[in-house]
Amino acid sequence: MPPHPESWLRVTPQGLYCEPGGFFIDPVRPVGRAVITHGHADHARPGHDAVLATPETLAIMRARMGEGAAGAAQQPIRPGEVLEQGGVAIRLAPAGHVLGSAQVVLDWQGSRAVISGDYKRQRDPTCAPFEPVPCDVFVTEATFALPVFRHPPPEAEVAKLLKSLALFPERTHVVGCYALGKCQRLIRLLREAGWDAQIHLHGALASLCRLYEELGVALGPLAPATVANKAALKGAIVLAPPSAVQDRWARRLAEPVVAVASGWMRVRQRAKMRGVELPLVISDHADWDELNRTIDEVGAPEVWVTHGRDDALVHALALRGIRGRALHLVGLGEEDEGPAPEVAEPASAAEGGVQA
């Protein structure tokens, strides 16, 4: 009988450890061997001796950390390629989260575990779509693992932004979005919706946009957002980190319409507390229905939950006869969409457009 993944994958203070292979997946402290699912800072940490990841993730790590901190030895592996370490076959499969994001598929002595990292199921023109891989144990995130979270089509949220631009052509629309993944996805969605004009960037977003273009993701005309030239930004779209849209930087723009693109904009109180006039429910994580659909598709009799709303998901799994286990891994979910807030009643579509 094949060994249960519980006998060869274990939780340690550094993170999830594959014992026969001698490597960690997304470790939170420097280790000898690390397999990295994607470039967000809560998954890709500096200081490892050897790093295995997709070429895009390695490029993102170098851009964010510097060549020396992104791994003393860096091993690129493309989705579908197989590498063996200590008798463990390692393969990466697309996760659909951000450019280069991957699930880690591990096979050992007839037993398979899939560590999915962060993932989403909605279409994203900047990265390869999620690929379900049948397995014995599926390791999943649970960022939006509550039934209240059902993400609307991102195209509908971008249409809300363009409608507001048409209604208020004299105002600058400043959109808070994370530098890696969300920013570039939003740009591509705007281009697909017909917005051909320059999109202005806060300086903190520029370098990763350049890297995306170097890696083959066309973003169209971009320009720096200089608040000193606020007259030129009337009627423009400005993208900035979420923290910047709430400080004096954004308030110096021309009558700014403050928007934030995040799955948490589904929560009315979250948007109100942050002074968001135009909430855009655009997430790079799977929602409740997508989490459950993914678990059905991989067909794993056992599901381990790394971070997020693990209690709700484990309970729902038990009702379906699937064994759920919360791993309580420390340090995940701290960048990207950010940690989970207290979830209040969501806004309805009729109340300012935050859709269910």
Side-chain angles (χ1 to χ4, degrees):
M1 176 180 288
H4 191 284
E6 223 166 26
S7 69
W8 53 277
L9 280 176
R10 58 187 177 89
V11 175
T12 73
Q14 293 94 334
L16 193 61
Y17 180 61
C18 176
E19 204 155 45
F23 58 84
F24 295 82
I25 297 96
D26 291 349
V28 297
R29 302 176 188 174
V31 298
R33 292 192 187 97
V35 179
I36 305 298
T37 61
H38 66 283
H40 280 134
D42 56 329
H43 292 255
R45 311 272 179 152
H48 307 307
D49 291 337
V51 174
L52 178 74
T54 63
E56 295 86 357
T57 292
L58 290 173
I60 288 165
M61 290 177 69
R62 290 191 294 268
R64 302 191 94 184
M65 305 171 186
E67 181 73 40
Q74 299 170 21
Q75 169 90 48
I77 179 172
R78 296 189 179 281
E81 296 178 355
V82 179
L83 182 146
E84 191 168 298
Q85 174 68 35
V88 179
I90 306 169
R91 175 166 68 90
L92 302 184
H97 179 55
V98 298
L99 183 63
S101 61
Q103 307 169 76
V104 181
V105 183
L106 303 178
D107 288 284
W108 188 62
Q109 297 186 358
S111 177
R112 173 177 288 175
V114 173
I115 300 90
S116 59
D118 289 340
Y119 65 96
K120 69 171 176 290
R121 303 302 305 271
Q122 288 185 334
R123 190 184 73 86
D124 184 339
T126 70
C127 66
F130 180 93
E131 176 187 301
V133 179
C135 53
D136 301 301
V137 164
F138 183 62
V139 184
T140 183
E141 60 146 309
T143 304
F144 291 108
L146 286 175
V148 71
F149 290 112
R150 290 181 166 91
H151 303 324
E155 295 81 5
E157 299 301 284
V158 167
K160 283 167 45 178
L161 173 59
L162 295 179
K163 181 178 179 181
S164 182
L165 280 154
L167 287 172
F168 304 108
E170 74 287 356
R171 300 177 67 184
T172 300
H173 283 65
V174 56
V175 185
C177 55
Y178 288 94
L180 172 56
K182 186 69 63 64
C183 171
Q184 298 79 21
R185 184 186 182 202
L186 186 55
I187 291 170
R188 282 297 300 265
L189 289 168
L190 282 162
R191 300 306 187 198
E192 290 182 350
W195 185 265
D196 297 324
Q198 279 188 334
I199 294 173
H200 298 263
L201 302 178
H202 184 283
L205 307 183
S207 63
L208 283 173
C209 286
R210 285 194 298 271
L211 179 61
Y212 262 62
E213 294 212 290
E214 289 170 12
L215 294 173
V217 180
L219 300 176
L222 305 175
T226 305
V227 292
N229 194 21
K230 66 180 184 179
L233 295 178
K234 288 184 177 181
I237 296 174
V238 173
L239 305 185
S243 57
V245 305
Q246 296 175 272
D247 66 17
R248 287 177 296 174
W249 184 89
R251 290 197 293 271
R252 291 199 297 266
L253 297 171
E255 296 184 75
V257 174
V258 174
V260 168
S262 170
W264 297 120
M265 291 298 99
R266 178 75 175 83
V267 182
R268 179 195 297 112
Q269 287 184 344
R270 176 87 159 188
K272 186 176 180 180
M273 284 171 51
R274 297 175 67 175
V276 177
E277 184 175 348
L278 183 63
L280 302 174
V281 187
I282 301 175
S283 176
D284 287 329
H285 295 262
D287 67 11
W288 175 254
D289 290 336
E290 291 162 347
L291 287 166
N292 284 281
R293 173 165 66 92
T294 301
I295 289 164
D296 288 340
E297 290 176 355
V298 302
E302 188 166 329
V303 175
W304 299 351
V305 187
T306 56
H307 63 284
R309 300 285 177 170
D310 51 34
D311 50 349
L313 187 57
V314 169
H315 176 71
L317 291 170
L319 296 177
R320 295 162 56 195
I322 299 171
R323 183 187 176 202
R325 175 190 172 194
L327 298 184
H328 303 299
L329 294 180
V330 175
L332 298 183
E334 294 177 351
E335 192 188 34
D336 196 13
E337 302 269 7
E342 290 301 313
V343 176
E345 181 186 357
S348 69
E351 295 176 295
V354 184
Q355 300 177 20

